[in-house]
Every structure is written in structure tokens, then in C-alpha cells.
Amino acid sequence: MCRASSTESSGSAAEPRAKRIAQAIASVDLTELKQLARTGGGLQTMRNRRRAWPLLLNFRSLTEPEPSDEEKPGESAHPDEPQVALDIVRTSLPKSTEYRKDEAATKKRQEQLGNVVCAVLRKYPWLGYYQGFHELALTFLCVFGSERPAAEASKMVALFFVRDAMSSNLDNVLVQLQLLYVLLRTVSPDVHALLAELDVPPFFAISWVLTWFAHDIDGFEDICRIYDFLIVSPPLQIVYMAAALVKRNEHAILACDRDFAIVHTTLAQLPQTVGDGEWRHIIADSYCLERDYPATKLQHMGNSHLPKLSAVNSFEATWRRLDPAQPRAFVGLVPILNGCHPLVSESASAASGSSGGGSNGRAVVNRMARVIDLTSTAQKARDLALQHRWPILFATVASATMVMYAWLLVQQFQMHP
């Protein structure tokens, strides 16, 4: 069972922590930066985040996608841009930031937000916009203060964290929400039983998942603290945070009248009830949940499986291969067939496999699936070795699996030089 503390380790008060953050940024110590982002008060200040988030999000590790023959960079509008414009008009800037000074400043920031979102969509036109992505982008814009870094952060989150939501539908997001109930069945069985009794679907948490709580929390510092944590975590971590939030409020939930509307409303409003300093405890709890019930195990527990090329299942096999010193194309990490979303490519590959066609595309998708499977196996072996403190076994298994992993990657590079 995971044991994590949301407080600082001994001898690390506020001032030493600030010094540790500065030193980690200066030395590009990503291990230390990730630990600081996960624990306590996170990265503490906007200045620290402007310096640390680009490192943690692997800025400039992707080469720009090549435009098609019919397109010139920046000129082809994305079909979802009209919806983006409608959502941005309705978007208010976070409270407690200097960006809400006057109406002119608000309009300027909204215009910049539109540019950020559209920049991501135009670079990767196979991504589909969903209502709420602009709130993710707004957080990055308010932290960085300018369009270019905000667009880069939004791009990395879109490609590696919330990609499942940017397909042609939200089917795989609904699977993630079902995994929330799988977690609750284990960690808060009484709440799960209540929700099952009243037939309450997990839709109360959909804005939590799609916006990383930005839609549901007023305090901008709290939002930034959550983002500190989520950008150094796997894509499904937001679901573990949702479970931790429900778990910490289970007494209030169980005290509700046995009424569908009352229970659903109570759940939907939980983020607004979190007091000052409490998010760090929810973050610590969710970190333990993810360690105890990693994504692969959770999917097996609930018999609710996401596709191999989902952001959740492909994260370990792709994120660890990013290196700003050696930028690569995203298509070299995840197959993009015929300009389609990876989840569409995977479905099309499966369909062509059953009909006997599309052998080349199917080979690419299957090769990526093998890399994902092997990475998952290596991760399981590593976790098991660490859990039982078997250093010799860990070294042996890690060495063997990494050799196999390297061989598979070489095979994939032959498909995507």
C-alpha cells in the first residue's frame, strides 16, 4: 500500500523548498522537479511555473508536422474553429489574476486564447476540439502570459494527456469515467453502492476530467497547484484525483437524502467545497491510488478496456521517448493513418484486419501495440520488484525487457524513419 505524505520532508520549510525549486530548474533536474510538483505546495509561484513547466512538458521535443500539398502553414482553418470562437466569448478569466483588470484586457486575453487553441488545432488537424479544452489552454495562457509558450503547453497536453477526448466522440472519456466507479467500488464501497442504488452516472465528473478542474474551481492558485501535479503524472491521474475527492467527502455524500438530483448535485459541487490547503491532501491521496491501482490493473479490475493507442495506454511507450535535444515527429510515436486520429486509425486497422485489407496500416498499428504491451510488462515488473524490494530481480528483468524494448523500437523506426 502506498504511503505518501502531502507535507514537506523534515528540514524542508518554505524557504529551503523555494531554493530546491530554483536549483532543480537551473540544473534541469527533472526527477527533483517532478517530486516537488507532486508534493506539498507544488511549484509555488507563477515565475517558477513559467520556468519549470516547459521542462516538465518536454517543450520543443516534437518537430512540426508537414503540411499537405494543398495547405500552407497557418492558413487552413480547422472545422471546429467556429465552436472555439463561441466558447471563448463565454469564457471569463480566472479570479485572482491580473488579467481581469478591465474589459479591454479581458477581450485581449480572449483573442489570445483563440489564437492558442486554433494554433494547436491547425498544426494537428486530426485533433477534434471539445468544449473545455479552451479552459485548459486558458490556464497555460494565464501562467505564461503569452501565446507561444501557452500554445506549446496546450499542444503537449492535447497530444499526450487529453488526446482521447479530442477524437470524433467522447466514448473513451466515458470509459475513463467508468474506471472512476471501478475505483470507488474498491476505495469507497458505501458511496459506490449509493450511486448504484440511485443509478447515478459518472457524468458529474466529466468537467473535472476534461478541464482538469479548471471549470469547477474559482481559485487560480489552486488550479495551478493541480496542474503542477497533473503534468508530471499519467493521463488517467485526473480520474484518481476525482476518486480521492469523492473519498474525502464520503460522509457528506452518504448523509444526503436518497434522491438522484440531490446526490448528483452534491457530487458535482465537491470541488467548490475544498478548503484552503486541502488540494495537496487530495493530490497525495490520488498519487497513492494510482500507485496501488495503475491504469492497466484498473482496466482489468473493471473489465473496461481502453484502446491500445489511447493516451492512457500509450503514454509510457511515448512520453519517455521525448527528448528536446532530438526532436521527432509525433507520427513517429503514434500512428496517424490517412490523417485520422490514432483511435480512428486503430479502429480502421482492426476493421481492415477482419476484411483482409490495409496490411501496411495494420502493421504499423500492430507494431505500436507491441511496443505498448512490452512497455506495460516492463512497468509491471518494475513495480513488482520495487514493491517487494527485489533489486537483483529488478535489474535482471529491467535489462531483459529494455533490450527487447529497444529491438521493437528499431523495428518501428523502420516504418517511421
Side-chain angles (χ1 to χ4, degrees):
M1 184 66 69
C2 171
R3 294 287 184 270
S5 172
S6 61
T7 59
E8 294 300 308
S9 58
S10 59
S12 56
E15 185 175 353
R17 181 183 181 86
K19 185 177 181 180
R20 288 171 60 200
I21 294 172
Q23 290 175 341
I25 293 172
S27 61
V28 195
D29 186 344
L30 296 184
T31 301
E32 175 72 354
L33 264 183
K34 290 176 182 178
Q35 177 65 13
L36 290 164
R38 275 194 292 260
T39 59
L43 299 176
Q44 294 187 324
T45 68
M46 294 301 112
R47 181 175 183 273
N48 287 340
R49 292 180 177 112
R50 282 192 285 270
R51 299 172 65 203
W53 283 8
L55 301 175
L56 297 172
L57 283 171
N58 280 306
F59 275 26
R60 293 180 293 280
S61 59
L62 294 177
T63 57
E64 295 298 328
E66 291 292 331
S68 65
D69 294 337
E70 297 80 13
E71 295 175 343
K72 292 184 180 179
E75 290 186 4
S76 180
H78 191 280
D80 292 338
E81 289 186 25
Q83 184 61 54
V84 173
L86 290 175
D87 288 348
I88 287 175
V89 168
R90 297 191 290 261
T91 300
S92 60
L93 296 175
K95 298 177 180 178
S96 76
T97 75
E98 67 270 26
Y99 305 126
R100 283 186 97 179
K101 292 178 179 178
D102 54 46
E103 185 177 349
T106 298
K107 287 184 176 179
K108 179 182 177 181
R109 192 60 63 177
Q110 288 175 335
E111 180 181 349
Q112 290 178 316
L113 178 58
N115 294 338
V116 168
V117 174
C118 291
V120 175
L121 296 177
R122 291 183 184 188
K123 282 182 181 177
Y124 299 90
W126 49 266
L127 288 173
Y129 172 77
Y130 66 84
Q131 290 181 285
F133 179 71
H134 68 295
E135 296 189 73
L136 279 168
L138 177 60
T139 300
F140 294 123
L141 180 61
C142 289
V143 168
F144 288 111
S146 60
E147 294 178 21
R148 180 173 293 183
E152 184 73 10
S154 301
K155 176 186 76 176
M156 299 305 288
V157 170
L159 293 175
F160 293 96
F161 292 86
V162 299
R163 189 174 72 239
D164 291 2
M166 304 187 79
S167 183
S168 57
N169 55 59
L170 293 178
D171 289 352
N172 289 290
V173 176
L174 299 182
V175 175
Q176 294 181 28
L177 292 176
Q178 289 301 325
L179 294 176
L180 168 60
Y181 274 21
V182 175
L183 266 177
L184 291 178
R185 186 175 63 205
T186 302
V187 303
S188 187
D190 291 340
V191 170
H192 181 270
L194 173 64
L195 300 181
E197 174 191 335
L198 298 178
D199 199 22
V200 178
F203 299 147
F204 62 85
I206 194 166
S207 65
W208 308 355
V209 171
L210 294 179
T211 71
W212 288 4
F213 288 108
H215 180 76
D216 303 276
I217 302 173
D218 288 334
F220 190 63
E221 182 57 39
D222 287 336
I223 295 172
C224 290
R225 176 65 195 94
I226 291 169
Y227 278 48
D228 286 342
F229 176 60
L230 291 178
I231 65 174
V232 298
S233 303
L236 200 61
Q237 191 69 56
I238 185 65
V239 172
Y240 296 96
M241 281 197 69
L245 176 60
V246 172
K247 170 67 176 173
R248 288 187 76 88
N249 289 275
E250 62 182 349
H251 295 302
I253 297 167
L254 295 172
C256 290
D257 293 338
R258 293 301 196 265
D259 178 82
F260 177 97
I262 292 175
V263 171
H264 185 276
T265 300
T266 299
L267 289 164
Q269 294 176 348
L270 286 180
Q272 301 168 24
T273 67
V274 178
D276 292 341
E278 287 187 32
W279 281 110
R280 66 176 61 189
H281 302 298
I282 294 169
I283 286 170
D285 292 346
S286 76
Y287 179 73
C288 284
L289 287 177
E290 193 276 331
R291 298 293 293 176
D292 292 337
Y293 307 100
T296 303
K297 178 179 180 180
L298 190 62
Q299 291 173 71
H300 284 297
M301 287 170 56
N303 196 26
S304 298
H305 297 280
L306 290 158
K308 289 286 178 62
L309 296 186
S310 73
V312 171
N313 287 332
S314 64
F315 185 75
E316 286 294 331
T318 55
W319 189 256
R320 67 172 62 244
R321 294 169 57 195
L322 295 177
D323 182 1
Q326 296 180 318
R328 64 177 69 235
F330 182 77
V331 71
L333 298 170
V334 179
I336 306 295
L337 304 181
N338 301 319
C340 295
H341 192 283
L343 296 180
V344 176
S345 299
E346 184 173 358
S347 299
S349 174
S352 67
S354 62
S355 64
S359 59
N360 185 59
R362 188 166 68 256
V364 175
V365 173
N366 289 343
R367 185 160 291 167
M368 184 62 195
R370 290 167 64 196
V371 172
I372 292 169
D373 284 338
L374 184 55
T375 306
S376 177
T377 301
Q379 187 69 22
K380 288 179 185 176
R382 174 184 176 277
D383 291 343
L384 183 64
L386 293 177
Q387 178 182 353
H388 295 282
R389 298 184 180 181
W390 298 337
I392 297 178
L393 174 63
F394 167 64
T396 303
V397 172
S399 298
T401 52
M402 286 304 103
V403 170
M404 295 170 63
Y405 180 61
W407 179 83
L408 278 178
L409 293 184
V410 169
Q411 299 301 308
Q412 188 186 11
F413 291 154
Q414 293 177 359
M415 298 297 299
H416 295 292

Coordinates of all heavy atoms in Angstrom, one line a residue, residues 268-306:
A268 N -21.3 17.0 -8.0 CA -20.8 18.0 -9.0 C -20.2 19.2 -8.3 O -19.3 19.8 -8.9 CB -22.0 18.4 -9.9
Q269 N -20.7 19.5 -7.1 CA -20.2 20.7 -6.4 C -19.0 20.5 -5.5 O -18.6 21.4 -4.8 CB -21.4 21.4 -5.7 CG -22.5 21.9 -6.6 CD -23.7 22.5 -5.8 OE1 -23.8 22.3 -4.6 NE2 -24.5 23.2 -6.5
L270 N -18.6 19.2 -5.4 CA -17.5 18.9 -4.5 C -16.2 19.8 -4.7 O -15.7 20.2 -3.7 CB -17.1 17.4 -4.6 CG -18.1 16.4 -4.0 CD1 -17.6 15.0 -4.2 CD2 -18.4 16.7 -2.5
P271 N -15.8 20.1 -5.9 CA -14.6 20.9 -6.0 C -14.7 22.3 -5.4 O -13.7 22.8 -4.9 CB -14.4 21.0 -7.5 CG -15.0 19.8 -8.1 CD -16.2 19.6 -7.2
Q272 N -15.9 22.8 -5.3 CA -16.1 24.1 -4.8 C -16.1 24.1 -3.2 O -16.0 25.2 -2.6 CB -17.4 24.7 -5.2 CG -17.5 24.8 -6.8 CD -18.9 25.1 -7.2 OE1 -19.7 25.7 -6.5 NE2 -19.2 24.7 -8.5
T273 N -16.2 22.9 -2.6 CA -16.2 22.8 -1.2 C -14.8 22.6 -0.6 O -14.7 22.5 0.6 CB -17.1 21.7 -0.7 OG1 -16.5 20.4 -1.2 CG2 -18.5 21.8 -1.4
V274 N -13.8 22.4 -1.4 CA -12.4 22.1 -0.9 C -11.9 23.4 -0.3 O -11.8 24.4 -0.9 CB -11.5 21.6 -2.1 CG1 -10.1 21.4 -1.6 CG2 -12.1 20.3 -2.7
G275 N -11.4 23.2 0.9 CA -10.9 24.4 1.6 C -9.5 24.7 1.3 O -8.8 24.0 0.6
D276 N -9.0 25.8 1.9 CA -7.6 26.2 1.6 C -6.6 25.1 2.1 O -6.7 24.6 3.2 CB -7.3 27.5 2.4 CG -8.0 28.7 1.9 OD1 -8.5 28.6 0.7 OD2 -8.2 29.7 2.6
G277 N -5.7 24.8 1.2 CA -4.7 23.9 1.6 C -5.1 22.4 1.5 O -4.2 21.5 1.7
E278 N -6.4 22.1 1.1 CA -6.8 20.7 1.1 C -6.4 20.0 -0.2 O -6.4 18.8 -0.2 CB -8.3 20.7 1.3 CG -8.8 21.0 2.7 CD -10.3 20.7 2.9 OE1 -10.8 19.8 2.3 OE2 -10.9 21.5 3.7
W279 N -6.2 20.8 -1.3 CA -5.9 20.1 -2.5 C -4.6 19.3 -2.4 O -4.5 18.2 -3.1 CB -5.8 21.1 -3.7 CG -7.2 21.5 -4.2 CD1 -7.8 22.7 -4.0 CD2 -8.1 20.7 -4.9 NE1 -9.0 22.7 -4.6 CE2 -9.2 21.5 -5.2 CE3 -8.1 19.4 -5.3 CZ2 -10.4 21.0 -5.9 CZ3 -9.2 18.9 -6.0 CH2 -10.3 19.7 -6.3
R280 N -3.7 19.7 -1.6 CA -2.4 19.0 -1.5 C -2.7 17.6 -0.9 O -2.0 16.6 -1.3 CB -1.4 19.7 -0.7 CG -1.8 19.9 0.8 CD -0.6 20.6 1.5 NE -0.3 21.9 1.0 CZ 0.7 22.6 1.4 NH1 1.6 22.1 2.3 NH2 0.9 23.8 0.9
H281 N -3.7 17.5 0.0 CA -4.0 16.2 0.5 C -4.7 15.3 -0.5 O -4.5 14.1 -0.5 CB -4.9 16.4 1.8 CG -4.3 17.2 2.9 ND1 -3.1 16.8 3.5 CD2 -4.6 18.4 3.4 CE1 -2.8 17.8 4.4 NE2 -3.7 18.7 4.3
I282 N -5.6 15.9 -1.3 CA -6.3 15.2 -2.3 C -5.3 14.7 -3.4 O -5.3 13.5 -3.9 CB -7.4 16.0 -3.0 CG1 -8.5 16.3 -2.0 CG2 -8.0 15.4 -4.2 CD1 -9.5 17.4 -2.4
I283 N -4.3 15.5 -3.7 CA -3.2 15.1 -4.6 C -2.5 14.0 -4.0 O -2.2 13.0 -4.8 CB -2.3 16.3 -4.9 CG1 -3.0 17.3 -5.8 CG2 -1.0 15.9 -5.5 CD1 -2.3 18.7 -5.9
A284 N -2.1 14.0 -2.8 CA -1.3 12.9 -2.1 C -2.1 11.6 -2.2 O -1.6 10.5 -2.4 CB -0.9 13.3 -0.7
D285 N -3.4 11.7 -1.8 CA -4.3 10.5 -1.9 C -4.4 9.9 -3.3 O -4.4 8.7 -3.4 CB -5.7 10.9 -1.3 CG -5.7 11.2 0.1 OD1 -4.7 11.0 0.8 OD2 -6.7 11.8 0.6
S286 N -4.5 10.8 -4.3 CA -4.7 10.3 -5.6 C -3.4 9.7 -6.1 O -3.4 8.7 -6.9 CB -5.1 11.4 -6.6 OG -4.1 12.3 -6.9
Y287 N -2.3 10.2 -5.7 CA -1.0 9.6 -6.0 C -0.9 8.2 -5.5 O -0.4 7.3 -6.2 CB 0.2 10.5 -5.5 CG 1.6 9.9 -5.8 CD1 2.1 10.0 -7.1 CD2 2.3 9.3 -4.8 CE1 3.3 9.5 -7.4 CE2 3.6 8.8 -5.1 CZ 4.1 8.9 -6.3 OH 5.3 8.4 -6.6
C288 N -1.3 8.0 -4.3 CA -1.3 6.6 -3.7 C -2.3 5.7 -4.5 O -2.0 4.5 -4.7 CB -1.7 6.7 -2.2 SG -0.4 7.3 -1.1
L289 N -3.4 6.2 -4.8 CA -4.4 5.4 -5.6 C -3.8 4.9 -6.9 O -4.0 3.8 -7.3 CB -5.7 6.2 -5.8 CG -6.6 6.4 -4.6 CD1 -7.8 7.3 -5.1 CD2 -7.1 5.1 -4.1
E290 N -3.1 5.8 -7.6 CA -2.5 5.5 -8.9 C -1.4 4.4 -8.7 O -1.2 3.5 -9.5 CB -2.0 6.7 -9.6 CG -1.6 6.5 -11.0 CD -0.2 6.0 -11.2 OE1 0.7 6.2 -10.4 OE2 0.0 5.2 -12.2
R291 N -0.6 4.6 -7.6 CA 0.4 3.6 -7.3 C -0.2 2.2 -7.0 O 0.3 1.2 -7.4 CB 1.3 4.1 -6.2 CG 2.0 5.3 -6.5 CD 3.1 5.2 -7.6 NE 4.2 4.4 -7.2 CZ 5.2 4.0 -8.0 NH1 5.2 4.5 -9.2 NH2 6.2 3.3 -7.6
D292 N -1.3 2.2 -6.2 CA -1.9 1.0 -5.8 C -2.7 0.3 -6.9 O -2.8 -0.9 -7.0 CB -2.8 1.2 -4.6 CG -2.0 1.6 -3.4 OD1 -0.8 1.2 -3.3 OD2 -2.6 2.2 -2.5
Y293 N -3.3 1.1 -7.8 CA -4.2 0.6 -8.8 C -3.8 1.3 -10.2 O -4.6 2.1 -10.7 CB -5.7 0.9 -8.5 CG -6.1 0.4 -7.2 CD1 -6.2 1.3 -6.1 CD2 -6.4 -1.0 -6.9 CE1 -6.6 0.8 -4.8 CE2 -6.8 -1.4 -5.7 CZ -6.8 -0.5 -4.6 OH -7.2 -1.0 -3.4
P294 N -2.7 0.9 -10.7 CA -2.3 1.6 -12.0 C -3.3 1.3 -13.1 O -4.1 0.4 -13.0 CB -0.9 0.9 -12.3 CG -0.8 -0.3 -11.5 CD -1.7 0.0 -10.3
A295 N -3.2 2.1 -14.2 CA -4.2 2.1 -15.2 C -4.5 0.7 -15.8 O -5.6 0.3 -16.0 CB -3.8 3.0 -16.3
T296 N -3.4 -0.1 -16.0 CA -3.6 -1.4 -16.6 C -4.4 -2.3 -15.7 O -5.3 -3.0 -16.1 CB -2.3 -2.1 -17.0 OG1 -1.5 -1.2 -17.9 CG2 -2.5 -3.4 -17.6
K297 N -4.0 -2.3 -14.4 CA -4.7 -3.1 -13.4 C -6.1 -2.6 -13.2 O -7.1 -3.5 -13.1 CB -3.9 -3.0 -12.1 CG -4.6 -3.7 -10.9 CD -3.8 -3.6 -9.6 CE -4.4 -4.3 -8.5 NZ -3.6 -4.2 -7.2
L298 N -6.3 -1.3 -13.2 CA -7.7 -0.8 -13.1 C -8.6 -1.2 -14.2 O -9.8 -1.6 -14.0 CB -7.6 0.7 -13.0 CG -8.9 1.5 -12.5 CD1 -9.3 1.1 -11.1 CD2 -8.6 3.0 -12.6
Q299 N -8.1 -1.2 -15.4 CA -8.9 -1.6 -16.6 C -9.3 -3.1 -16.4 O -10.4 -3.5 -16.8 CB -8.1 -1.4 -17.9 CG -8.0 0.1 -18.2 CD -7.1 0.3 -19.4 OE1 -7.5 0.0 -20.5 NE2 -5.9 0.9 -19.2
H300 N -8.4 -3.9 -15.9 CA -8.7 -5.3 -15.8 C -9.7 -5.5 -14.6 O -10.6 -6.4 -14.7 CB -7.4 -6.1 -15.5 CG -6.6 -6.4 -16.7 ND1 -7.0 -7.1 -17.8 CD2 -5.3 -5.9 -17.0 CE1 -6.0 -7.1 -18.7 NE2 -5.0 -6.4 -18.2
M301 N -9.6 -4.8 -13.6 CA -10.5 -4.9 -12.4 C -11.9 -4.6 -12.9 O -12.8 -5.3 -12.4 CB -10.1 -3.9 -11.3 CG -8.8 -4.3 -10.6 SD -8.2 -2.9 -9.5 CE -9.7 -2.6 -8.5
G302 N -12.1 -3.6 -13.7 CA -13.4 -3.3 -14.2 C -13.9 -3.9 -15.5 O -15.0 -3.6 -15.9
N303 N -13.0 -4.6 -16.1 CA -13.2 -5.2 -17.4 C -13.7 -4.1 -18.4 O -14.6 -4.3 -19.2 CB -14.3 -6.3 -17.3 CG -14.3 -7.1 -18.6 OD1 -13.3 -7.2 -19.3 ND2 -15.5 -7.7 -18.9
S304 N -13.1 -2.9 -18.2 CA -13.4 -1.7 -19.0 C -12.0 -1.3 -19.7 O -11.2 -0.7 -19.0 CB -13.9 -0.6 -18.2 OG -15.2 -0.9 -17.7
H305 N -11.8 -1.7 -20.9 CA -10.5 -1.6 -21.5 C -10.5 -0.4 -22.6 O -11.4 -0.4 -23.4 CB -10.1 -2.9 -22.2 CG -9.9 -4.0 -21.2 ND1 -8.8 -4.2 -20.5 CD2 -10.8 -5.0 -20.9 CE1 -8.9 -5.2 -19.7 NE2 -10.1 -5.7 -19.9
L306 N -9.5 0.4 -22.4 CA -9.3 1.5 -23.4 C -8.5 0.9 -24.6 O -7.8 -0.1 -24.4 CB -8.6 2.7 -22.8 CG -9.4 3.5 -21.8 CD1 -8.5 4.2 -20.8 CD2 -10.3 4.4 -22.5

